Amino acid sequence: LSISRRNLLIGAGVGVGAVAIGGAATVTLLRPHEVYWKDGAATPKFPHIPAKPGDSVVIVGGGLVAIANALHALKRGLKVTIVAPNSQRGPASFGNAGVIAIGDTAPLGTPMTLAGGPSMLLDPEHPLSIRPAYAAQIAPWLSRFALACSEDYVRASTKALSWILSQATDAHFELAADAGASDRLNPLGYLKVFKGEAAFNHFTNDELKYTREVNTPIEFLNDAQLREMEPGLSKEYTHAVMHPKSGSVHLPGEYLRQLEAYAISLGAVRIEEDVKTFKRNGQIVEAAVTATQEIKGDHFIVAAGAWSKPLAAELGADIPLDTERGYHVMTQAREDDLRLRRSIYYSDLVAYSTPMGDQVRVTTGLEFGGLTAAPDYSLINRKAIHAATSHAGIGEKIEGSEWMGFRPSVPDHRPVIGHSPEFANAHFAFGHGHLGLTMSAITGKLLVESMFAQTPRPELAAFSPERFS
Ligand SMILES: Cc1cc2nc3c(=O)[nH]c(=O)nc-3n(C[C@H](O)[C@H](O)[C@H](O)COP(=O)(O)OP(=O)(O)OC[C@H]3O[C@@H](n4cnc5c(N)ncnc54)[C@H](O)[C@@H]3O)c2cc1C
């Protein structure tokens, strides 16, 4: 590194009291959270044109969020065109940890996260890192992140996330059943495991404090229960919580492929190109423009994950979207009694393992490095080795299985689901960060429902694109 990690921290505005250094003077502060929960606050300043059966919709993006929107639009009688390049391993929807994590109702950033930021960045084994070349670019995002770590904001986000997450599992089961993909969903819940009391107390004093306030379903396991559930788990893990209503997806990339194939079987048209811009006329979007054609439609949805920022900007919304890069490797799975049965989050490793048939996926990484820098697989390779000693069900790494993907992340950990503030027929569904697999199906349901309504549901105000303006 050409600059020390300490300087990097200060430059990026991370750490207690560092918000001002990181450019609070240059970024717009988040609006007070209360605004999103007042009656009527969901009514956007600028009304959209409600959709009606038979209208056409152009959906920009080919990840799970886009495809879930496509399926719900088809259900309601819209004519659907999906536009995205053909890049099977490219979307985050391909390579995520596969956890339907409906119990993760607290946002990533809390007062304790903020306080721990510097030590996390200084620990080379912690997945949080900032590429030096990207430090200046990410600084305004980190400043907003720091502001969203206040107690009040965290509580508002937890409330908003718990509302949407409580509907997320059912929404997946509904779409999966329609598409004949139900066998991809593992309903066995997911575990968070801790080595020793101190690690567990950290969790109870931080994340759990908020999730309990919104009655997130959670079970505390004693040692016998934990061993019975996961006989292969290392005995070093002494404490655990179970998220019983969560689950996982067996190979999310295959799940995506099946849902997309189902959408096409229902009449969706798939165009394999990048959308470069939009053709606009007054307050109406007329077409999505690619290198070769103009794709006309009555309505437009931007759902291009981490690549959505410039597209949303063309449609009137300046969203502080960036990416937290993450990694996975695949390992061999054991198939006997010691096999991994469900997703596990290892708090000491800050890594997940998820059973995916005869393989296990190990994931980690929270790297600020933008969309173009080359991947660095060294950390995930080390984590794979550690994970293999944490659970007997995790075997040898499968050579060449390393993957990097781009979480579409906004600073307050809430996705952007709603209507354009400037164009009457444009809509947004992106920014799902760490929980985009989990929230994809319910996002499609809520956004399409909202497109048909005169005004959005009040709860959607917490996810409005206008909250940053
Ligand atoms: C390592 C890792 C682990 C994760 N684990 C989990 C987990 O366990 N549970 C969970 O819920 N979430 C998890 N996530 C987050 C989740 O994967 C993402 O939030 C989610 O996949 C985002 O879906 P998306 O459809 O918005 O974006 P993506 O899946 O990234 O799809 C974006 C799409 O837009 C297309 N696109 C880009 N530019 C254009 C353009 N100009 N025109 C047209 N199309 C374009 C891309 O080709 C792609 O098809 C994880 C992410 C990572 C990286």
Side-chain angles (χ1 to χ4, degrees):
L1 299 183
S2 55
I3 53 173
S4 75
R5 292 176 81 95
R6 173 78 191 138
N7 288 341
L8 194 65
L9 273 179
I10 293 169
V14 174
V16 185
V19 178
I21 305 168
T26 58
V27 298
T28 312
L29 301 188
L30 294 159
R31 291 159 70 204
H33 69 278
E34 291 85 3
V35 155
Y36 311 131
W37 292 99
K38 280 188 188 145
D39 285 345
T43 310
K45 282 174 259 161
F46 184 69
H48 68 282
I49 299 172
K52 51 187 190 317
D55 283 359
S56 60
V57 59
V58 177
I59 300 177
V60 182
L64 275 167
V65 174
I67 300 304
N69 274 280
L71 287 169
H72 280 284
L74 288 160
K75 272 192 190 207
R76 289 203 168 228
L78 298 183
K79 295 180 196 127
V80 172
T81 303
I82 303 160
V83 194
N86 178 8
S87 59
Q88 264 205 340
R89 285 172 63 94
S93 300
F94 169 89
N96 58 65
V99 191
I100 297 179
I102 65 154
D104 286 354
T105 47
L108 190 70
T110 63
M112 275 173 87
T113 317
L114 197 59
S119 61
M120 289 180 209
L121 276 168
L122 291 167
D123 174 1
E125 289 307 306
H126 198 282
L128 177 65
S129 65
I130 301 175
R131 291 280 180 107
Y134 204 67
Q137 214 166 320
I138 197 66
W141 190 99
L142 288 170
S143 296
R144 283 185 154 121
F145 174 84
L147 291 165
C149 287
S150 74
E151 286 280 348
D152 279 356
Y153 207 101
V154 169
R155 289 212 157 82
S157 294
T158 307
K159 185 173 166 185
L161 287 167
S162 87
W163 174 76
I164 196 165
L165 287 169
S166 66
Q167 310 168 65
T169 304
D170 286 351
H172 270 292
F173 272 98
E174 187 187 320
L175 281 195
D178 290 350
S182 303
D183 58 352
R184 295 219 161 264
L185 304 181
N186 173 352
L188 292 181
Y190 111 89
L191 279 174
K192 289 185 173 161
V193 296
F194 306 86
K195 283 184 179 169
E197 193 137 6
F200 186 62
N201 286 345
H202 186 278
F203 167 74
T204 52
N205 293 333
D206 188 25
E207 182 182 327
L208 195 64
K209 187 173 93 179
Y210 303 104
T211 59
R212 271 182 158 166
E213 286 174 9
V214 293
N215 297 323
T216 304
I218 203 166
E219 287 168 9
F220 296 91
L221 303 183
N222 64 31
D223 198 59
Q225 289 168 321
L226 180 57
R227 303 300 149 208
E228 195 187 325
M229 252 181 208
E230 287 293 334
L233 183 69
S234 159
K235 298 220 166 21
E236 288 185 79
Y237 291 97
T238 50
H239 295 68
V241 292
M242 172 74 174
H243 288 266
K245 300 213 166 134
S246 294
S248 67
V249 174
H250 165 49
L251 294 176
E254 285 302 302
Y255 182 55
L256 170 63
R257 199 186 51 73
Q258 268 178 278
L259 295 185
E260 183 186 294
Y262 178 57
I264 290 168
S265 78
L266 295 178
V269 173
R270 176 74 164 86
I271 296 176
E272 293 184 353
E273 286 192 77
D274 271 311
V275 169
K276 306 281 183 206
T277 184
F278 294 92
K279 189 172 171 193
R280 294 156 299 181
N281 185 358
Q283 290 169 327
I284 297 295
V285 182
E286 291 184 338
V289 181
T290 71
T292 66
Q293 57 184 310
E294 289 182 359
I295 304 157
K296 293 196 166 55
D298 298 314
H299 308 274
F300 294 81
I301 300 176
V302 174
W307 296 271
S308 300
K309 184 179 170 70
L311 298 165
E314 292 243 341
L315 301 182
D318 180 14
I319 308 289
L321 177 75
D322 212 290
T323 184
E324 294 162 85
R325 297 145 55 111
Y327 293 83
H328 86 220
V329 291
M330 303 301 290
T331 75
Q332 303 291 356
R334 191 162 171 155
E335 286 174 16
D336 59 12
D337 280 353
L338 297 183
R339 72 187 181 281
L340 179 71
R341 291 148 198 246
R342 54 181 61 69
S343 288
I344 297 185
Y345 169 72
Y346 307 89
S347 68
D348 56 321
L349 300 178
V350 200
Y352 292 82
S353 67
T354 301
M356 298 195 180
D358 58 359
Q359 300 182 355
V360 170
R361 178 170 289 175
V362 177
T363 49
T364 193
L366 203 165
E367 183 186 61
F368 293 101
L371 291 166
T372 53
D376 173 0
Y377 295 122
S378 55
L379 181 71
I380 184 63
N381 281 326
R382 290 201 298 282
K383 294 275 179 186
I385 294 167
H386 295 316
T389 61
S390 301
H391 198 295
I394 303 173
E396 292 277 300
K397 186 188 114 185
I398 297 170
E399 286 309 319
S401 63
E402 293 94 345
W403 173 89
M404 179 186 73
F406 302 97
R407 295 185 190 91
S409 302
V410 286
D412 63 4
H413 206 74
R414 301 179 199 167
V416 175
I417 305 170
H419 311 298
S420 159
E422 282 184 21
F423 291 88
N425 60 342
H427 316 278
F428 304 133
F430 59 82
H432 293 71
H434 292 240
L435 293 176
L437 163 68
T438 305
M439 292 192 272
S440 54
I442 187 62
T443 295
K445 190 170 189 167
L446 292 170
L447 183 67
V448 173
E449 176 192 277
S450 190
M451 285 168 64
F452 276 81
Q454 290 288 341
T455 50
R457 289 164 178 253
E459 293 92 339
L460 279 182
F463 307 101
S464 161
E466 296 180 48
R467 70 187 189 268
F468 300 108
S469 57

